[in-house]
Amino acid sequence: MSFSSLGLCDELLKAVAEQGYETPSAIQLEAIPAVLSHRDVMAAAQTGTGKTASFTLPMVQRLANGKRPGARQVRALVLTPTRELAAQVAESVQNYSRHLNIRSSVVFGGVKIGPQISKLRGGLDVLVATPGRLMDLYNQRAIDFDHLEVLVLDEADRMLDMGFIHDIRRIQKLLPAKRQTLMFSATFSKEIKALAKGMINNPIFVEVAVANSTADRIKQVIHPVDKSQKREVLVHLIKENNWHQVLVFSRTKHGANRLARQLDSAGIQAAAIHGDKSQGARTRALDNFKKGNILVLVATDIAARGIDIDQLPYVVNFDLPQVPEDYVHRIGRTGRAGADGLAVSLVSIDEYKQLKAIERVIGHQFEREIIAGFEPKDKASAPSAETAKRPPRRQGQGQRRSSGNAAPRGRSSH
């Protein structure tokens, strides 16, 4: 099935083709017609499946046929949990609306508010925003929601995890009751469904993946190691296997900074990205990572949310997440759009409780591999499911394969 069968206008079909995409993903096949029907929609899909295009394309089509916005007015509002995701969604809106008369912009914290106020003065068809900065702008009377037609909550589960529930409730009270509301999320917990009850009216529910499942094309490996050897093991894996573009997760900001410095000292170009970094520093680090100027990006969970890199080959959990569901979000950075991915977790004895919790959430027991030369000194570090000692397999440049034309993703879809 092609995009032309989904009811999209010629201008959008042209923009999709210019992005190099021919076949819609499963979530796009289900969600685009639902959104075009002007019904409220709750859509659950894994990261990297083209969620952003699922709401961006039909939303832009609806707005293209409507009345132009007046001063400070916004016709469609997209809320996202992080600056990085907001920037990527805004880029997606621009890419797909290039042949239509659509005015759009993005606002988030960490940068000067003055230029954002200036962009709002003439009115916008689409505003992509993080909740905190949006409330700042409203409190300065820089924005008017009276004529809002569409509200999109992107990564709704993460917004709740990050404590934005009160901001979302406050924003909801400012919006017209008569509107189309779209909620997109990797998972739909009880808390998300409770939030939806007050915001969404008789929704169409779209789900194309089992909640908390992980992509089939991601190979997941556990390396039991002593905590003191994690850095040495990571350096060994990167150099021995000639890894490139490695996204590494650290539990803390301090740990991310320290690990990036240690990798640099070992001759591996690395940068850290977390909430204490300025927006400019975060953007530069991400751009350098995408361009291949740095080999490793060390990130915390919040900073990594929304990072979407074409064919990212490797994700490493240097520290396991405290929340089991975050494991799904972390490894969802790789194995996208039909390409293969490798997710490696370096697990010390003090993390086995988290490991078991992750296995329960995803319903799968991981393969364990003890790396020759890095055997844990503590015998308790050898879990019952471990495999025989073996040297690490080479995961070089030829590991990833593309499966042809994929659904919109990367900079244009998520």
Side-chain angles (χ1 to χ4, degrees):
M1 188 172 288
S2 66
F3 282 97
S4 61
S5 66
L6 300 181
L8 297 172
C9 64
D10 291 341
E11 292 85 353
L12 286 173
L13 293 175
K14 182 179 179 181
V16 168
E18 288 172 349
Q19 294 297 306
Y21 306 119
E22 296 178 358
T23 306
S25 68
I27 186 65
Q28 291 160 0
L29 284 172
E30 297 290 333
I32 289 175
V35 177
L36 285 174
S37 73
H38 290 198
R39 291 273 302 278
D40 286 1
V41 175
M42 292 180 67
Q46 289 177 246
T47 301
T49 55
K51 283 187 294 180
T52 302
S54 297
F55 65 78
T56 299
L57 289 167
M59 176 184 69
V60 166
Q61 178 154 317
R62 169 177 176 162
L63 298 174
N65 299 321
K67 185 179 178 181
R68 297 297 93 193
R72 298 183 297 110
Q73 291 179 0
V74 172
R75 298 177 63 207
L77 172 65
V78 182
L79 290 177
T80 73
T82 67
R83 309 166 188 175
E84 286 78 17
L85 183 56
Q88 290 173 6
V89 172
E91 187 176 2
S92 176
V93 172
Q94 289 182 336
N95 286 338
Y96 291 129
S97 63
R98 62 177 58 183
H99 301 300
L100 295 166
N101 185 22
I102 296 292
R103 295 189 62 195
S104 63
S105 190
V106 58
V107 297
F108 46 71
V111 297
K112 293 181 179 179
I113 200 170
Q116 296 177 351
I117 293 175
S118 297
K119 289 180 180 178
L120 286 164
R121 286 194 182 115
L124 296 170
D125 294 293
V126 183
L127 177 66
V128 185
T130 52
R133 178 49 61 96
L134 185 70
M135 289 305 301
D136 291 342
L137 288 162
Y138 180 80
N139 291 334
Q140 294 194 32
R141 299 187 177 182
I143 191 168
D144 179 352
F145 296 120
D146 289 348
H147 294 84
L148 190 89
E149 300 171 43
V150 182
L151 169 66
V152 182
L153 297 179
D154 192 18
E155 303 284 12
D157 53 337
R158 181 55 48 180
M159 282 198 275
L160 263 62
D161 289 345
M162 292 174 63
F164 288 133
I165 179 65
H166 299 299
D167 282 339
I168 293 172
R169 289 295 191 196
R170 283 193 287 268
I171 292 167
Q172 178 190 0
K173 293 178 181 178
L174 305 175
L175 307 181
K178 187 178 180 180
R179 64 173 190 269
Q180 183 179 25
T181 303
L182 314 174
M183 184 178 287
F184 282 70
S185 181
T187 60
F188 279 111
S189 63
K190 292 180 181 178
E191 293 78 11
I192 292 290
K193 292 177 180 177
L195 174 66
K197 284 183 180 179
M199 301 185 73
I200 293 186
N201 179 40
N202 189 27
I204 298 174
F205 189 83
V206 176
E207 186 171 15
V208 297
V210 178
N212 296 325
S213 66
T214 52
D216 293 337
R217 300 189 70 98
I218 303 174
K219 178 174 176 57
Q220 301 170 69
V221 178
I222 300 297
H223 289 310
V225 296
D226 288 330
K227 193 169 187 176
S228 61
Q229 284 196 303
K230 281 191 175 186
R231 179 194 60 81
E232 192 176 352
V233 168
L234 179 59
V235 170
H236 171 79
L237 289 172
I238 292 171
K239 290 186 174 181
E240 180 71 15
N241 299 307
N242 193 29
W243 284 356
H244 58 288
Q245 269 200 325
V246 188
L247 178 60
V248 178
F249 283 94
S250 169
R251 187 180 299 123
T252 67
K253 302 169 187 176
H254 176 70
N257 287 335
R258 183 177 62 244
L259 182 56
R261 289 194 301 268
Q262 291 171 337
L263 291 172
D264 268 332
S265 297
I268 298 171
Q269 305 98 321
I273 181 172
H274 52 69
D276 283 351
K277 298 280 188 179
S278 69
Q279 181 59 34
R282 291 162 73 169
T283 300
R284 284 192 300 273
L286 185 56
D287 286 344
N288 283 327
F289 185 58
K290 289 181 177 181
K291 294 174 182 176
N293 296 332
I294 61 174
L295 199 66
V296 178
L297 189 66
V298 187
T300 56
D301 284 299
I302 290 177
R305 189 64 168 187
I307 290 178
D308 194 358
I309 299 163
D310 288 345
Q311 299 192 4
L312 176 67
Y314 313 105
V315 169
V316 176
N317 292 299
F318 190 82
D319 303 310
L320 286 185
Q322 294 289 353
V323 179
E325 289 79 6
D326 283 345
Y327 176 85
V328 178
H329 298 307
R330 285 183 177 190
I331 74 167
R333 306 298 107 192
T334 187
R336 297 185 173 203
D340 295 331
L342 177 66
V344 171
S345 298
L346 307 180
V347 182
S348 54
I349 188 172
D350 60 309
E351 295 177 301
Y352 286 156
K353 185 176 180 181
Q354 291 124 276
L355 177 60
K356 292 296 184 184
I358 291 168
E359 289 179 328
R360 284 194 298 271
V361 164
I362 69 173
H364 172 72
Q365 190 173 40
F366 298 112
E367 176 184 353
R368 270 80 154 172
E369 292 185 4
I370 294 179
I371 302 173
F374 296 96
E375 296 84 355
K377 294 181 176 63
D378 191 332
K379 295 302 180 185
S381 293
S384 58
E386 92 177 56
T387 61
K389 296 177 187 176
R390 67 188 72 176
R393 285 188 301 275
R394 290 191 174 271
Q395 304 283 349
Q397 300 286 340
Q399 189 220 349
R400 297 180 62 78
R401 299 180 301 277
S402 175
S403 61
N405 288 309
R409 51 168 302 281
R411 291 181 300 276
S412 299
S413 73
H414 194 298

